[in-house]
Amino acid sequence: MHDKVLIVDFGSQVTQLIARRVREEKVYCEIVPYQKAEAAFRDMKPKAVILSGGPASVLDQDAPLAPKAIFEAGVPVLGICYGEQAMAQQLGGKVEGGHYREFGRAEVEVVSDSPLFEGVWRKGEKYPVWMSHGDRVTVLPPAFRVLGTSANAPIAIIGDDDRKFYATQFHLEVMHTPHGAALLRNFVRKVAGLSGDWTMRAFKDEAIEKIRKQVGKGRVICGLSGGVDSAVAAVLIHEAIGEQLTCVFVDHGLLRLGEAQKVVTLFRDSYNIPLVHVDDSEAFLKALASVEDPEQKRKTIGKLFIDVFDAEAKKIGGADFLAQGTLYPDVIESVSFTGGPSVTIKSHHNVGGLPEHMHMKLVEPLRELFKDEVRALGRELGLPDAFVGRHPFPGPGLAIRIPGAITREKLDILRLADDIYIEEIRRAGLYDDIWQAFAVLLPVKTVGVMGDGRTYDFVVGLRAVTSTDGMTADFYPFEMKFIGAVATRIINEVKGVNRVVYDVTSKPPGTIEWE
């Protein structure tokens, strides 16, 4: 049994970053919505708890709160932002609203030594942090003391050393708090005393045992897309159950240029795993012919995938399980923790289960991992860099990179433009520096002049982002010379395009794929 941390989510957009910071310390953790926290605390038996931020006010009549059992169990607790206010309110302090807004960069002054600050912050010094609050704690709960103050939050950091309860008004988990990760490390390692025994090697061995226990002598169909997630899942499952696994690669007509043959060849050359290649592009493109809404595209594609897997399972005499590369971000962002819209974000994944008519159960061995952890697991399994280092490519493929109606003409244009873009990125030696790069065929045409003639053609948008785990990202800062060279090639070589633009939008926390 590993040391575990429970993260109670009150709806903050950056709760996932708390989990990332904890796992960086090789400590296993799970995020659970506050509505389910009591049962999760009882079942998980964590050795520490972290209360996240959130948009609510503890002064609201139905304000979300932490289960009392957490404060009564004798385990260390860390409250962050709203988590501080909930902790203070529930333990006998006082929180007030009003004109106490503090958003963005701020400074806190450390007014008392604490195990939370050991080796990081010193008494009497000021440090930059990231604030995001309207309410503030005005009266300390019994047994607590003030550890730090800020301009708009005189009680910005609090602590009860005996019970190992600590809380900060600012966000420790974001990069805008430069020492935040170190403070979280102190809480996890020094305050809570957790050992940091959760490694990819340990995860691999335990996952193999779990798969064997779940599957028994049953047969498994694995949906192989060629991406990192499904490739790692397939190899992991094969190590567990061998020939009981059959992989199915579906060409839905929405892949990149030459992608189908590339993936099939790469996989067959690398692994002795039964692989079925299904070209069902006609059915997919026919079903999508009149679909413009991106959400409906996802649902249509997801349903057709299920139909293909069901048909292939029958061809091999039936299958008991369908395996897929569901990751922890898929789970987090497919569950509406606080009544928000996140329940629809991952509709092309079967996170909630399969249709009853399939008579199969899901095998999702990567469900607990973030993207960078999947790459680490892939290396532990010995996957070649051609798999492990690939940029993410969404299940719906080019369907959601062509806003509006999909046609073969548009697919041909986008495939070629995207191929040129990726080729130039590789040629410049930038592929491994970028998390994800792709082209989008925008649903607009512009007037242009090429040579002596006037044109009326499509606009191609280019995106490239940097990230660690895929939860947040920033645009890649190409030199304009590079963008100019790519744009020139696309306009000269791709008939139907007369303009290229580069997107410099960042991906904020709480949003999902660059689609």
Side-chain angles (χ1 to χ4, degrees):
M1 295 294 292
H2 298 288
D3 291 343
K4 299 176 184 177
V5 173
L6 173 65
I7 301 170
V8 179
D9 184 30
F10 289 115
S12 168
Q13 287 188 325
V14 291
T15 300
Q16 299 93 332
L17 297 183
I18 302 174
R20 289 297 307 120
R21 300 291 176 259
V22 173
R23 291 194 180 184
E24 284 167 4
E25 297 305 312
K26 296 182 172 61
V27 173
Y28 182 73
C29 63
E30 289 185 15
I31 298 172
V32 176
Y34 70 90
Q35 302 97 321
K36 300 179 180 180
E38 187 165 4
F41 182 75
R42 181 178 61 250
D43 297 340
M44 188 176 170
K45 297 180 175 58
K47 292 190 175 180
V49 175
I50 299 177
L51 309 178
S52 86
S57 169
V58 295
L59 304 176
D60 294 340
Q61 185 174 357
D62 298 318
L65 298 173
K68 291 182 179 179
I70 288 175
F71 299 118
E72 296 170 352
V75 300
V77 182
L78 173 67
I80 297 175
C81 196
Y82 181 88
E84 182 201 39
Q85 296 165 10
M87 179 188 287
Q89 185 89 338
Q90 289 183 253
L91 296 179
K94 186 176 181 181
V95 176
E96 293 183 4
H99 305 291
Y100 304 128
R101 293 164 56 90
E102 196 172 21
F103 295 96
R105 290 178 176 84
E107 278 192 332
V108 295
E109 180 179 356
V110 176
V111 298
S112 181
D113 292 324
S114 166
L116 196 64
F117 306 147
E118 186 177 330
V120 183
W121 282 357
R122 292 186 300 178
K123 181 180 177 181
E125 299 290 334
K126 293 184 178 181
Y127 299 94
V129 297
W130 189 261
M131 291 283 192
S132 181
H133 68 96
D135 301 341
R136 69 182 185 183
V137 179
T138 55
V139 177
L140 282 173
F144 277 79
R145 60 195 178 99
V146 177
L147 304 178
T149 67
S150 74
N152 274 8
I155 304 178
I157 313 173
I158 62 176
D160 176 345
D161 296 328
D162 291 337
R163 288 184 289 181
K164 297 184 179 180
F165 289 174
Y166 297 95
T168 68
Q169 184 58 77
F170 55 89
H171 284 277
L172 291 165
E173 66 275 31
V174 300
M175 293 182 66
H176 298 84
T177 298
H179 303 99
L183 297 176
L184 271 168
R185 181 185 308 122
N186 276 352
F187 175 75
V188 170
R189 290 299 192 93
K190 295 180 179 180
V191 174
L194 307 189
S195 61
D197 61 352
W198 194 69
T199 64
M200 276 304 108
R201 176 166 293 184
F203 177 88
K204 182 192 77 170
D205 295 340
E206 291 164 12
I208 287 172
E209 288 304 312
K210 285 181 181 178
I211 293 166
R212 288 172 179 164
K213 185 176 180 180
Q214 180 185 6
V215 171
K217 295 182 179 181
R219 292 197 60 83
V220 179
I221 288 279
C222 179
L224 183 71
S225 68
V228 178
D229 310 335
S230 62
V232 172
V235 174
L236 180 65
I237 294 169
H238 187 253
E239 283 211 11
I241 61 172
E243 294 182 356
Q244 293 169 245
L245 171 69
T246 298
C247 290
V248 178
F249 176 78
V250 182
D251 183 351
H252 51 18
L254 302 163
L255 297 170
R256 285 171 156 167
L257 190 66
E259 182 83 356
Q261 191 56 47
K262 189 184 303 180
V263 169
V264 171
T265 301
L266 188 60
F267 202 75
R268 283 179 173 160
D269 288 350
S270 301
Y271 298 99
N272 186 29
I273 301 175
L275 173 61
V276 178
H277 179 194
V278 181
D279 185 348
D280 205 23
S281 53
E282 289 292 337
F284 276 83
L285 296 182
K286 182 178 179 181
L288 291 166
S290 59
V291 181
E292 296 192 11
D293 178 69
E295 184 60 25
Q296 191 58 43
K297 288 180 184 178
R298 296 167 187 264
K299 291 180 178 178
T300 301
I301 292 168
K303 180 182 181 302
L304 290 172
F305 267 130
I306 290 297
D307 292 343
V308 174
F309 294 142
D310 201 18
E312 293 304 316
K314 291 174 182 175
K315 290 179 184 179
I316 64 171
D320 306 286
F321 300 90
L322 173 65
Q324 60 182 27
T326 304
L327 304 191
Y328 199 38
D330 301 333
V331 176
I332 295 170
E333 295 181 336
S334 297
V335 178
S336 183
F337 283 2
T338 55
S342 60
V343 70
T344 65
I345 289 176
K346 284 288 187 178
S347 53
H348 61 278
H349 280 258
N350 305 295
V351 177
L354 296 170
E356 289 185 10
H357 69 80
M358 290 192 73
H359 304 294
M360 281 193 257
K361 296 179 181 179
L362 281 173
V363 177
E364 299 171 306
L366 313 181
R367 191 180 173 95
E368 299 170 349
L369 301 183
F370 286 92
K371 192 80 169 190
D372 54 317
E373 294 170 334
V374 173
R375 296 189 195 278
L377 176 60
R379 294 186 180 95
E380 185 70 34
L381 288 163
L383 269 77
D385 286 340
F387 272 125
V388 178
R390 298 196 83 198
H391 288 182
F393 188 69
L398 301 181
I400 38 70
R401 293 177 180 172
I402 300 177
I406 298 170
T407 65
R408 291 186 182 275
E409 176 196 12
K410 290 180 180 179
L411 285 167
D412 290 341
I413 290 172
L414 181 56
R415 280 196 186 96
L416 188 51
D418 184 81
D419 191 62
I420 290 170
Y421 183 34
I422 300 301
E423 181 183 295
E424 289 296 320
I425 287 174
R426 288 188 181 277
R427 183 177 295 170
L430 301 174
Y431 189 84
D432 292 337
D433 296 333
I434 295 170
W435 167 266
Q436 186 181 37
F438 58 85
V440 176
L441 190 67
L442 300 178
V444 294
K445 287 188 173 184
T446 63
V447 175
V449 175
M450 300 181 72
D452 297 322
R454 193 175 295 278
T455 63
Y456 183 60
D457 288 324
F458 285 106
V459 178
V460 165
L462 305 179
R463 282 178 171 171
V465 297
T466 58
S467 181
T468 299
D469 49 36
M471 301 303 296
T472 59
D474 204 354
F475 67 89
Y476 186 82
F478 286 120
E479 293 183 4
M480 287 309 299
K481 182 179 179 181
F482 174 85
I483 294 294
V486 173
T488 299
R489 276 201 64 189
I490 290 175
I491 291 171
N492 286 340
E493 299 177 33
V494 184
K495 186 178 180 180
V497 177
N498 69 0
R499 195 173 302 275
V500 176
V501 297
Y502 182 59
D503 186 347
V504 295
T505 307
S506 294
K507 174 186 171 186
T511 62
I512 194 56
E513 295 154 313
W514 284 93
E515 299 177 352

